[in-house]
Amino acid sequence: MGSVKTKRMPRAVREQQMLDAAVRIFGRRGYTAASMDEIAELAGVSKPLVYLYLNSKEDLFTACIRREASALTAAVRSGVRPGLPADRQLWEGLCAFFTHTARNPEGWTVLHLQARTHGEPFAAEVDAMREGIVAFVTQLIDVAAREARPQALGCARPGRHPQDPELPERETAGLAEALVGAAESLAAWANTTPGVSAGQAAATLMNFAWAGLGNLMEGRPWSPPDHD
Amino acid sequence: MGSVKTKRMPRAVREQQMLDAAVRIFGRRGYTAASMDEIAELAGVSKPLVYLYLNSKEDLFTACIRREASALTAAVRSGVRPGLPADRQLWEGLCAFFTHTARNPEGWTVLHLQARTHGEPFAAEVDAMREGIVAFVTQLIDVAAREARPQALGCARPGRHPQDPELPERETAGLAEALVGAAESLAAWANTTPGVSAGQAAATLMNFAWAGLGNLMEGRPWSPPDHD
């Protein structure tokens, strides 16, 4: 009795092992097809212990989404140094984003594909994270627009008052949505295309986004053709 | 017996009614939560008739994905006139895309969110559609790069041979992925943000994308900073 001594681990460590295994299995199989047996086996624990710690498949999935969302947001925020010019901040943020998604492909799949389609409460968790990132990017674009303002005045279009903001609020919000959507798409592409590094994905998007945003901020939008 | 005459409709018409109802319910509830009872009720037919025509919930969902994917692809392709300059083609394609997704919000939700996360065969259906659209955009970017070539030669960077393609294949593929991802994100945003029209979403993305692509094609990429 009690002669076989099992290794005792702190609960927090065990829980992280379960979450590691769960993210991997959810990411590969999807929420519906993932089995608690397989998750327990990969974590090296019994299935009852998973239920004891994480309660249910639903709660386990929610815990995965929360952990992966926090890790991604933290990686992006800590990759950006606030004192730098806006383009440098965006560049560093993109590098941090693509590095994180390349290192955690299953975590990215859970956030980007799985979490958004299984209704509440999962969708709300990941929507909150995405809104935080969109707000962060919106702020960067605003800062960049203010930085560009002095140069922009020289080429302001006739009839536009120099004090007018170069980019109205709705336009900035749309640009941030476009940039975040482009980053999501490129992360999935980079993770499934052999030989595309995080740095290359970041450079492609920076090139695409910044050269475009730079033009906009200096008052050189693309002009839609007259209706014909 | 036979005294109550039910209206007879051709099978094809009935089937379209069922698909209309199914797209609406799948788009609102998600694949798992959608009920065949609700779909039959909304279509105004009996549940056995839905099973008789479409076989199973899985087959019904696949039929929805196929129909919505074909409709979206057809709308984008027919919106673009091939003889125009590349930026005009892209503009027309974006207008057609955002108009279609605004008019068919549930169809877009089925394609963009539902279909990609429930494993095979659903994911394969929508991946094929997305690959077709990415290929179409890649081709537009290639055409644009060739159109821009003559002007680009004047500002080719030292050491770059004038015959070199301005945008290598992998770069073009990445840019197309970025553009399609941005469009997907903006479609979801426009559909959930009051007062954003299809034309505004198209103009925001065109501005973002074209001013950026235009710079790239004329040999003015954003330069990543030296490592510090």
Side-chain angles (χ1 to χ4, degrees):
Chain A
M1 283 184 266
S3 63
V4 178
K5 221 174 171 189
T6 55
K7 272 188 248 165
R8 292 229 162 242
M9 277 191 206
R11 176 173 174 139
V13 176
R14 279 257 192 252
E15 222 172 87
Q16 288 308 312
Q17 286 177 335
M18 291 178 195
L19 290 176
D20 287 343
V23 166
R24 213 152 273 173
I25 301 298
F26 284 131
R28 282 179 204 162
R29 309 248 184 273
Y31 176 66
T32 311
S35 93
M36 294 295 269
D37 287 296
E38 200 180 359
I39 291 169
E41 197 189 323
L42 186 63
V45 299
S46 69
K47 195 160 77 165
L49 196 66
V50 179
Y51 280 105
L52 182 70
Y53 278 18
L54 277 317
N55 194 43
S56 65
K57 188 178 177 184
E58 187 173 314
D59 285 359
L60 176 59
F61 192 53
T62 304
C64 288
I65 295 169
R66 272 195 201 146
R67 192 184 73 162
E68 296 303 311
S70 304
L72 177 59
T73 306
V76 172
R77 288 191 178 269
S78 75
V80 174
R81 285 169 294 170
L84 297 179
D87 67 330
R88 293 293 299 272
Q89 289 192 45
L90 185 60
W91 166 246
E92 293 187 347
L94 290 175
C95 287
F97 172 78
F98 288 110
T99 302
H100 186 86
T101 53
R103 284 187 190 152
N104 304 278
E106 287 106 352
W108 174 245
T109 302
V110 164
L111 289 177
H112 180 52
L113 285 184
Q114 309 298 339
R116 292 163 80 182
T117 54
H118 292 283
E120 301 309 340
F122 310 136
E125 294 281 341
V126 82
D127 282 353
M129 175 205 72
R130 195 180 192 272
E131 273 164 30
I133 289 185
V134 169
F136 182 63
V137 172
T138 305
Q139 203 188 342
L140 273 189
I141 296 176
D142 276 338
V143 170
R146 277 199 296 278
E147 280 174 7
R149 195 78 54 85
Q151 297 93 303
L153 297 184
C155 52
R157 275 172 289 165
R160 191 182 241 193
H161 192 277
Q163 300 307 314
D164 287 352
E166 285 297 307
L167 293 172
E169 200 180 321
R170 167 140 306 170
E171 183 77 1
T172 313
L175 291 168
E177 285 284 344
L179 210 157
V180 169
E184 290 169 338
S185 175
L186 279 175
W189 176 72
N191 279 357
T192 52
T193 307
V196 176
S197 69
Q200 281 162 345
T204 294
L205 184 50
M206 191 65 198
N207 241 324
F208 180 58
W210 197 258
L213 287 174
N215 264 330
L216 283 185
M217 283 156 194
E218 294 180 11
R220 291 192 301 271
W222 178 84
S223 304
D226 295 327
H227 203 273
D228 52 340
Chain B
M1 283 182 265
S3 64
V4 179
K5 223 175 168 191
T6 55
K7 271 188 248 163
R8 291 230 162 242
M9 276 191 206
R11 176 172 177 143
V13 176
R14 278 258 193 253
E15 222 172 87
Q16 288 307 312
Q17 287 178 336
M18 291 178 196
L19 290 176
D20 287 343
V23 166
R24 213 152 271 173
I25 302 298
F26 284 132
R28 283 179 204 162
R29 309 249 186 273
Y31 176 67
T32 312
S35 93
M36 295 295 270
D37 287 298
E38 200 179 1
I39 290 169
E41 197 188 324
L42 186 63
V45 299
S46 69
K47 194 162 77 166
L49 196 66
V50 180
Y51 280 106
L52 182 69
Y53 279 17
L54 275 320
N55 194 42
S56 66
K57 189 177 178 185
E58 187 173 313
D59 285 358
L60 176 59
F61 192 54
T62 305
C64 289
I65 295 169
R66 274 196 200 144
R67 191 184 74 162
E68 295 304 310
S70 303
L72 177 59
T73 307
V76 172
R77 288 190 178 270
S78 75
V80 174
R81 285 169 294 171
L84 297 179
D87 67 329
R88 292 292 299 272
Q89 288 192 45
L90 185 60
W91 166 246
E92 294 188 346
L94 290 176
C95 287
F97 172 78
F98 287 112
T99 302
H100 186 86
T101 54
R103 284 187 190 151
N104 303 278
E106 288 105 351
W108 174 244
T109 302
V110 164
L111 289 177
H112 180 52
L113 285 185
Q114 309 298 340
R116 292 162 82 181
T117 54
H118 292 283
E120 301 309 340
F122 311 136
E125 295 281 342
V126 82
D127 281 354
M129 176 205 71
R130 196 179 191 273
E131 273 164 30
I133 289 185
V134 169
F136 182 62
V137 172
T138 305
Q139 202 188 342
L140 274 188
I141 297 175
D142 277 338
V143 170
R146 277 198 298 278
E147 281 173 7
R149 195 79 54 84
Q151 297 93 304
L153 297 184
C155 53
R157 276 171 287 166
R160 191 184 244 194
H161 191 277
Q163 299 309 313
D164 286 353
E166 285 296 307
L167 293 171
E169 200 180 321
R170 166 141 306 170
E171 183 77 1
T172 314
L175 290 168
E177 285 283 344
L179 210 157
V180 169
E184 290 169 338
S185 174
L186 279 176
W189 175 72
N191 279 357
T192 53
T193 307
V196 176
S197 68
Q200 281 162 345
T204 294
L205 184 50
M206 192 65 199
N207 241 324
F208 180 57
W210 197 260
L213 288 174
N215 264 330
L216 282 185
M217 283 157 193
E218 294 180 9
R220 292 192 301 270
W222 178 83
S223 304
D226 296 327
H227 203 272
D228 53 339

